[in-house]
Amino acid sequence: MKTRNGDDIMGKIHLEGADNARDLGGLKTTEGAVIREKKLIRSNRLSKLTQNDMNLLSNEYHLHKILDLRTPMEVEQEADLEIPEASYMNIPFFMESMVGVSREKETKKQMLHMQEFPDMKDIYIMMIQNKFCNQQITKAVREVMTTENGSVLWHCTEGKDRCGLLSAIILFLLDVSEEDVMEDYLKTNKAAIRRVEKIRKKLHVAGFHQEKIEKLEGYFVAKEEFLNAALKTMKEDHGSINQFIKNGLHISMKEKQQFKDKILE
């Protein structure tokens, strides 16, 4: 997939209050079909949307459903703005206690003083192997699959990890190739490049060693090794990504085909 022009990212939805929102429409499957536009939207937090943003999502994308994958504490501290005609569901992929660190404002400050914090690869593996995580992912996938009359949007805080994993699973359900799934996952870095540069400079000025800066960066940038850790776990534990979807998430091949029939053209 190539950018349309300059720094523009294919499928990017230009929102003033969410810099990592994009439409998965236009992506091709391994069978040559194309995902319909204005059906599947991935994003980062929706707490800073402007009135123009909400009008765009309502009027142009006919937003019908919002799936918030953040923890209850994250939601409490920075709630989504309500968008007319769009239902809202909080489906946290994990709880704070499961990882030790999430992106609450207090914890962000604490991260800078921690000697040890979770490795992002371990968090991706946990989301594949943990029973609670699997149940929540299944719930979110089914909500995406059963959306009618408009679009469904899912998001976490940065639009990278929880959002990225759900996006990957949705694309695999539609039979998009691993290469194109990874390419979509890494587009987050183009959207967030200015934000990440600011974080790097702050950490450098604060006197952090390069090794720790690189590890902390993992909380704000998408890396192939993170998603690959999840894909490898799916394959090792279930035999294939399709088998993970079938046996790990309990999505039948009949349900998968029905979803494809609805979303692909």
Side-chain angles (χ1 to χ4, degrees), residues 120-135:
M120 288 307 303
K121 287 188 289 186
D122 292 337
I123 292 176
Y124 276 70
I125 292 169
M126 177 196 72
M127 287 193 285
I128 300 304
Q129 294 185 325
N130 180 274
K131 184 178 180 181
F132 173 81
C133 297
N134 271 204
Q135 290 172 341

Side-chain angles (χ1 to χ4, degrees), residues 244-255:
F244 165 72
I245 290 171
K246 182 179 178 182
N247 300 323
L249 302 182
H250 307 290
I251 305 291
S252 71
M253 292 301 103
K254 180 180 178 181
E255 290 172 310

Side-chain angles (χ1 to χ4, degrees), residues 67 69 91 93 136-144 166:
L67 308 179
L69 312 180
I91 309 177
F93 273 17
Q136 295 297 91
I137 291 172
T138 299
K139 185 176 181 180
V141 169
R142 288 193 178 280
E143 286 296 333
V144 172
L166 178 56

Side-chain angles (χ1 to χ4, degrees), residues 80-260:
D80 281 0
L81 296 177
E82 291 185 18
I83 298 178
E85 308 302 324
S87 65
Y88 170 89
M89 295 184 70
N90 179 214
I91 309 177
F93 273 17
F94 51 72
M95 297 299 179
E96 289 88 353
S97 59
M98 297 171 68
V99 296
V101 172
S102 56
R103 291 179 178 79
E104 301 82 356
K105 292 174 184 176
E106 290 85 351
T107 310
K108 256 186 179 178
K109 295 174 183 176
Q110 293 169 4
M111 281 171 62
L112 301 181
H113 303 289
M114 292 172 66
Q115 295 301 314
E116 295 295 333
F117 40 87
D119 186 288
M120 288 307 303
K121 287 188 289 186
D122 292 337
I123 292 176
Y124 276 70
I125 292 169
M126 177 196 72
M127 287 193 285
I128 300 304
Q129 294 185 325
N130 180 274
K131 184 178 180 181
F132 173 81
C133 297
N134 271 204
Q135 290 172 341
Q136 295 297 91
I137 291 172
T138 299
K139 185 176 181 180
V141 169
R142 288 193 178 280
E143 286 296 333
V144 172
M145 294 175 71
T146 56
T147 301
E148 304 288 348
N149 305 319
S151 63
V152 54
L153 179 153
W154 57 92
H155 77 90
C156 52
T157 300
E158 303 293 335
K160 177 178 76 78
D161 303 312
R162 292 162 286 189
C163 173
L165 182 60
L166 178 56
S167 300
I169 291 169
I170 294 300
L171 292 177
F172 284 128
L173 269 167
L174 296 170
D175 288 328
V176 174
S177 70
E178 280 192 46
E179 181 183 1
D180 286 347
V181 169
M182 181 62 74
E183 187 172 344
D184 174 73
Y185 170 74
L186 294 174
K187 285 177 186 175
T188 284
N189 296 336
K190 295 178 183 178
I193 188 166
R194 292 181 184 86
R195 201 161 5 108
V196 173
E197 281 302 320
K198 286 182 181 178
I199 292 166
R200 285 183 184 138
K201 287 178 182 177
K202 283 183 180 179
L203 294 173
H204 183 72
V205 170
F208 286 95
H209 294 298
Q210 186 62 29
E211 184 179 348
K212 190 165 186 178
I213 290 175
E214 288 177 3
K215 195 163 187 180
L216 280 167
E217 268 183 10
Y219 287 86
F220 303 97
V221 300
K223 296 185 179 182
E224 285 190 42
E225 62 195 81
F226 300 160
L227 184 56
N228 277 335
L231 302 185
K232 182 180 178 184
T233 304
M234 291 178 193
K235 294 170 184 176
E236 289 181 346
D237 291 356
H238 297 275
S240 69
I241 294 171
N242 256 338
Q243 287 299 106
F244 165 72
I245 290 171
K246 182 179 178 182
N247 300 323
L249 302 182
H250 307 290
I251 305 291
S252 71
M253 292 301 103
K254 180 180 178 181
E255 290 172 310
K256 173 181 173 176
Q257 187 59 51
Q258 289 172 340
F259 181 50
K260 289 173 66 177

Side-chain angles (χ1 to χ4, degrees), residues 53-78:
D53 293 338
M54 291 188 278
N55 290 341
L56 179 69
L57 290 171
S58 292
N59 300 329
E60 186 171 337
Y61 289 87
H62 306 289
L63 186 59
H64 182 72
K65 188 184 295 182
I66 297 168
L67 308 179
D68 188 342
L69 312 180
R70 299 175 299 163
T71 65
M73 188 181 294
E74 288 174 287
V75 174
E76 182 182 347
Q77 293 179 343
E78 198 169 353

